[in-house]
Amino acid sequence: MRFQTFLSGVITLALSVNAYWLEDITHQGVAPFGGDGYTVFRNVKDFGAKGDGVTDDTAAITQAMNTPDNRCLQGCASTTTTPAVVYFPSGTYIISSSIVPPYFTQMIGDPTNRPVLKATSNFQGFGLIDGNPYYTQNLNWVSTNVFYRQVRNFVIDTTGVAPGTAATGMHWPTSQATSIINVEFNMPTDPSVVHVGLFIESGSGGFMSDLTFNGGATGASMGNQQYTMRNLVFNNCQTGIIQLWNWGWTYIGLQINNCQKGINITAGGSTALNVGSITVIDSTFKDTPVGITTAWQTGAEPATAASIILENLVLDNVPVAVEGPSSSTILEGGTTTIAGWGQGHQYTPDGPNSFQGSITPNSRPTTLEANSVFYSRSKPQYENITASDIVSARSSGAKGDATTDDTAALQSAINSAASGGKVMFLDHGIYKITKTLSVPDGAKIVGEGYPVIAASGTAFGDMSNPIPLLQVGAKSGDAGQVEFSDFIVASLGAAPGATLIEWNLASTATTPSGMWDVHARVGGFQGSDFQVAQCLKDPGSSTVNTACIGAYMLMHVTPSASNLYMENTWLWTADHDIEDSNNTQITVYSGRGLYIESTVGNFWLIGTAVEHNNLYNYQFANTKNIFASMLQTETPYYQPQPDATQPFPVVSDLQDPDFATSCSGVSGNCANAWGLRIIDSSDIYIYGAGHYSFFDNYSTTCSTVDAGENCQSRIVSIEGSSSNVNIYALNTIGSLSMIDQDGTSLAGWKDNVNVFPSNVMLFRTG
């Protein structure tokens, strides 16, 4: 008996020593508007889940998800007030019906020993994880409004379900600021299998990375506006990927192994193609008879649909690289490397010219690469540290209650963690900040369930004297390395002088700084003072409500900064109130989106989006060496009433666009925000971009083909001495001109009609 007690103690000690730090730390996150006693972090084992591979844990996990009863589920449009981090220790959790994560939920497994979610033989539901259920004939949440959720570090197993019985690993129709990371899908390999690993039918994504699909009829069956997907592996699937529809999709580091077909983009057939385009780079297909199959053929409709770019695609025993209708061969395969190949419309820079065949691949700067592919780094989860390596914001005196001034306490926590080589843990909350927070070299900040650092007060109130909320590096060019993940920057009340992030740090090419799942949100949430009650839209009026000016700029990368990797970052000025039951539209103003003016260069923008900023969403000036995948923007819904000439004056030092001058002689809605503006810059590599203008002063009648795509006149601009600008898969909506150079339109929407956007598959300035 004594020996058994001793042995039990040793096992318990061993487990505690090896437990992931997130499981061990004291959790003190607060939800300021969630109600008394609301708990953000919940461990499923505290709710009775066993994870023993025998017990049905469905009810316990559901209780962990739904407690208390005010979480956003059936009939709730959306909310930020009841967030949750639901943690799964290692183990095997038996699931008999779908787990439905409510709105604003992160599901996190132990990354050191991923927990398994295993379906019972009689499993019922649409996905072991159903991210947006059909309680009625419609999805519970409007898929284009599903934000702020994650699933990471799991194994999802349907092998216990008969191969011929329908089963889905995950159902995930969602949008920006969402991700699935480090998940393995295991399905039967029997020839009769009908299982699907991942199913997406709609939404506006988005980002995923580090997913593995083993077996199944289809690894992933997906339709969504746009996505970046990085490091997806498909083993022994009948078909790796079926694209149901899209506007544009970028795959980086895709691996297809021993599947019958790699990617199927035949949806809709040649007379009504549903897939806009796919871009596949730095990827490997092996032991697969057909790499890509398409319904495209001469005369197919729409004219530019099913466009393809392949760059640095390694084939190993893949007889047909691209297959057309009736099993015709468009591109032979074999064992070879496709340096560059594509089909669609091209402008170099004149066009349009239809092309199908080999292309010269981009000549990439070595500083953007690692091991002959574009550099990438998955979100650090700090698996090798312990709870003693964590500095908590709340333990350092910060309250996170949206009311207390947390400036001093949060600065102290940041400094303490950085100087001690520790990770600063930003417990969930809304942290009111009244002056600039300085982030030194060595800082690592990890959020719990998307906490908010928010600018508030008079220090951020002067548009003529803007200051940063977060200042990374004291001055431009300061050397160092910083890592951010899983939090939001915002403002509480009018902040016309707030730059939410100022990035000054110069990192090295071998150890870039990084931002993963870090977002800006200006307005539209409880506590922001930019909701329906304060900033309700007023169509037809050009009067600016100065109380609804929420930011000067969302993010500024200064002239001597360098080597920053950004992944799944959404910089959003709210178009609607997330807390409102109807998601009612609001008018909130932010002057500028993401501005990169680094003369040094070396930036990676992986699955980023910037939306609803007054002057521009992305601006690159006097910079170089930028790699981007699937940029996504939307023009402010209120424009052109007011237009982009107000309320933010032109600042020449920032190279702001001067619409009063540049719009002279341009017809239509010229003074609308640029989606992307490139000035005096070189070596720009964009692998997918969606620049959308859906509204004319809150009316969508302008953004269809029948209406003439005339919401605005221009949306992408290349200016000055810019050179070697390369854009694959440029998609635009609602803009008469797709891309301009020095005030002259190079491509118009009518010449490049696609499934809903217009598409130019290859653009180069030369």
Side-chain angles (χ1 to χ4, degrees), residues 398-416:
K399 300 297 184 184
D401 59 9
T403 302
T404 303
D405 185 346
D406 283 325
T407 309
L410 208 54
Q411 186 67 71
S412 175
I414 293 169
N415 293 346
S416 174

Side-chain angles (χ1 to χ4, degrees), residues 537 585 634 637 639 693-711 733-734 756:
K537 69 176 182 179
Q585 291 174 332
E634 286 183 6
Y637 297 179
Q639 288 180 348
S693 186
F694 293 114
F695 293 86
D696 181 333
N697 193 223
Y698 293 103
S699 170
T700 59
T701 57
C702 61
S703 58
T704 64
V705 169
D706 291 342
E709 300 281 352
N710 59 11
C711 301
I733 293 173
F756 186 69

Side-chain angles (χ1 to χ4, degrees), residues 232 234 241 251 253-258 261-263 278 280 283-288 290-292 310 313-318 320-321 334-336 338:
L232 271 61
F234 296 84
I241 298 167
Y251 294 100
L254 176 65
Q255 296 182 48
I256 305 284
N257 301 312
N258 198 35
K261 292 187 177 181
I263 307 175
I278 59 169
V280 182
S283 298
T284 302
F285 293 3
K286 182 178 180 181
D287 296 331
T288 296
V290 176
I292 298 169
L310 309 176
L313 173 61
V314 177
L315 303 181
D316 183 354
N317 189 29
V318 179
V320 178
T335 297
T336 186
I338 299 173

